[in-house]
Amino acid sequence: MFEMVDVFLGVGIAIAFTILMCLYRAVRGPGVFNQVAAVNVIGTKVIVLLVAIGYIFERPMFVDIALLYAGLNFVGTLVMAKYLERGEICSA
Amino acid sequence: MMKRSTVAIFIVMFVFWVLLSACINPLKGHYDHIRIVVGMICAAIATSVSRDLLITGKEDMTLRKTLRLLLYIPWELWQIVLANFDVAYRVLHPKMPIDPRIIEFDTTLRSDFALTTLANSITLTPGTITIDVEPERGRFLVHAIASKAADALLVDQTMQKKVAHVYMEEGGGE
Amino acid sequence: MLGIGVTDIISIIFMAGGIFFMVTGAVGLIRLPDFYTRLHATGKCDTLGEVLLITGCMIFQGWSFVSVKLLFLIFFIFMANPVGTHAIMKAAYYTGLKPWKKGEERR
C-alpha cells in the first residue's frame, strides 16, 4: 500500500543521489571547465528537485520558484562561459 | 502608429501573465480585476522594452513556418529519444565504445532562426554537439562522439534538409 | 488495490524513465574520459530525463494552472540546456582545451 507522496519522495531522493554524484566532478575537477559544467548540471537537476519537493509538501508555489531558478541558472552559466572565454564579463 | 507585430507581442506577454498569475479562471468564474490591470501595465512595459529584440523585420510567411516547425518537432523528439539510448549505451557499456572527433561542414542556411534551430537540434541528437557557428557562411563546427554520428551529419544531411524545409531556404527540396 | 489510478501509473512510468536517464547522465559525467565527452552525457541525458520527470508531474497534476507552468518549464529546459552546453563547450574550445582522442590517457 503506497500513495503518490511516497513516489515523489523516492524521486526526490533519487535526484539528490544524482546530485551527489555530480558533486564529485564539481569538487575534483580537473580544470575549471569540468567544474562549471558540473555546477550547471546540478542547477538543472535542482529545478526538478524543487518540483518534486513542491509535490511532497503539497505546495504548488514551488513550481514558480523552479521557473525562476531555471532562468537564474541559465544566465549564470552563460555569464560564466563568457567570462572564461574572454576574461571579462562586459566587453564593449 | 501601432504595428501588428507590437500588438502580437503585447498579447503574448499578457497571456503569459494570465497563465502564470491565474488571475482569470473561467472554470470557477473568477476574475481578479486588480491583477488584470497590473498585468496590462507590465505587459506594456515589457513590450516597449523587448520590441526591437524580438522582431527584426525581415521575417515573412511566419504562420507557414510555424506550422512546419510544429511538424518538425515530433521527428526531433523521436531523434532525441534515440540519442539518449545511444548515449546511455555508450556510457553503461563496460568498454565505452567512443571515438571522439571534431568535424566541420557548410550549410546553405543563413537566417538566424534556422541556424539556431539546427544548432540546438545537433546538440540534442545522437552523438554530436555544436561548438561554433559562422552565420555568414553557414559553417558549423561540431564535436562528434563517434564516427557513425559524424557520418549522419556529413553524408546523410537529413537534418539540414529538414531545417531548410521548415524555414523555406535553399536546399529544402521545394 | 494500490490506492492509485491509471493516470498515476502512467506518470510513475514517465518518472521512472526520467530517473533512469538522469542517473545515466550522472554516471557519464563521472565515467567518461574528458570534458567534451562528458558534456555529451550531460547535455542529452539530463535534458530528456528532466523533461520526462516534469511530464510525469504534469500527467499526475491533470488540467490546471500548475500544469501550464510545468509546460513552460519544459519549453525553457528544451531551449536553455543545449544553449548552456554549447556556451561552455565554445568557451573551452577557444581557450585551447585539447579534445581527447582514442587511445590516450583519461583526464
Side-chain angles (χ1 to χ4, degrees):
Chain A
M1 210 47 143
F2 65 99
E3 291 172 23
M4 280 305 278
V5 178
D6 303 331
V7 174
F8 283 109
L9 204 58
V11 167
I13 291 170
I15 296 170
F17 181 66
T18 60
I19 287 177
L20 268 181
M21 287 162 83
C22 294
L23 207 57
Y24 168 79
R25 196 48 78 192
V27 173
R28 260 296 303 285
V32 69
F33 285 110
N34 278 310
Q35 291 175 327
V36 172
V39 168
N40 177 28
V41 170
I42 289 175
T44 49
K45 283 182 197 301
V46 164
I47 298 167
V48 191
L49 184 60
L50 278 171
V51 175
I53 287 174
Y55 280 104
I56 292 168
F57 293 112
E58 291 171 353
R59 298 253 170 84
M61 183 91 78
F62 273 86
V63 177
D64 296 336
I65 303 174
L67 262 174
L68 209 87
Y69 196 83
L72 274 179
N73 181 48
F74 177 53
V75 173
T77 307
L78 285 192
V79 169
M80 202 64 205
K82 199 176 171 188
Y83 175 69
L84 289 173
E85 191 182 342
R86 301 188 189 163
E88 57 191 1
I89 290 172
C90 245
S91 57
Chain B
M1 192 182 106
M2 292 279 273
K3 275 194 275 182
R4 254 170 61 196
S5 57
T6 314
V7 179
I9 293 178
F10 177 80
I11 291 172
V12 169
M13 294 280 178
F14 186 64
V15 168
F16 195 69
W17 170 279
V18 168
L19 288 176
L20 282 188
S21 71
C23 61
I24 298 176
N25 196 341
L27 297 177
K28 292 178 187 166
H30 166 76
Y31 298 95
D32 194 335
H33 300 287
I34 296 174
R35 278 199 208 166
I36 291 171
V37 173
V38 171
M40 281 186 170
I41 295 170
C42 289
I45 293 171
T47 309
S48 67
V49 170
S50 65
R51 186 181 51 197
D52 301 335
L53 293 175
L54 292 176
I55 303 289
T56 49
K58 279 182 290 185
E59 300 291 320
D60 49 346
M61 294 196 280
T62 318
L63 193 67
R64 235 172 118 193
K65 285 179 187 171
T66 314
L67 281 178
R68 288 188 178 184
L69 189 64
L70 287 180
L71 288 177
Y72 171 73
I73 285 173
W75 181 81
E76 177 65 29
L77 283 175
W78 176 240
Q79 289 294 310
I80 291 171
V81 174
L82 287 183
N84 276 278
F85 279 111
D86 182 63
V87 171
Y89 166 74
R90 288 182 199 284
V91 166
L92 298 177
H93 194 281
K95 284 181 190 162
M96 278 199 291
I98 58 173
D99 181 16
R101 60 189 62 200
I102 287 181
I103 55 173
E104 257 185 285
F105 63 90
D106 289 332
T107 61
T108 51
L109 306 172
R110 289 297 177 272
S111 76
D112 291 347
F113 275 103
L115 289 171
T116 313
T117 311
L118 183 58
N120 270 7
S121 306
I122 286 173
T123 302
L124 284 172
T125 46
T128 46
I129 291 185
T130 315
I131 295 175
D132 201 7
V133 185
E134 283 178 43
E136 294 84 24
R137 290 187 289 162
R139 167 161 291 191
F140 278 73
L141 194 63
V142 171
H143 183 271
I145 202 170
S147 55
K148 199 179 150 211
D151 286 346
L153 281 172
L154 289 173
V155 181
D156 295 348
Q157 304 203 329
T158 320
M159 187 177 290
Q160 286 97 316
K161 281 173 196 153
K162 281 196 184 269
V163 173
H165 178 71
V166 167
Y167 289 99
M168 290 187 246
E169 304 218 358
E170 10 169 350
E174 280 291 302
Chain C
M1 281 278 269
L2 287 166
I4 53 176
V6 179
T7 53
D8 293 348
I9 290 172
I10 295 171
S11 72
I12 287 173
I13 291 170
F14 268 88
M15 283 192 272
I19 290 288
F20 168 73
F21 281 122
M22 280 176 80
V23 171
T24 311
V27 169
L29 190 66
I30 291 178
R31 233 192 125 200
L32 285 170
D34 88 320
F35 170 73
Y36 296 96
T37 44
R38 274 171 207 149
L39 276 189
H40 276 279
T42 61
K44 296 188 221 321
C45 286
D46 265 16
T47 310
L48 188 69
E50 282 150 21
V51 167
L52 280 180
L53 259 170
I54 297 176
T55 312
C57 291
M58 268 174 75
I59 293 169
F60 171 72
Q61 181 74 30
W63 287 102
S64 75
F65 277 108
V66 178
S67 279
V68 176
K69 285 174 196 171
L70 290 174
L71 192 66
F72 280 138
L73 208 53
I74 287 179
F75 270 125
F76 192 82
I77 287 176
F78 258 128
M79 289 292 127
N81 248 357
V83 175
T85 308
H86 158 71
I88 306 175
M89 203 152 196
K90 189 182 168 193
Y93 188 72
Y94 284 114
T95 20
L97 194 65
K98 287 270 182 295
W100 178 86
K101 289 274 180 350
K102 197 173 186 178
E104 286 177 21
E105 208 174 309
R106 50 174 292 134
R107 55 193 125 127

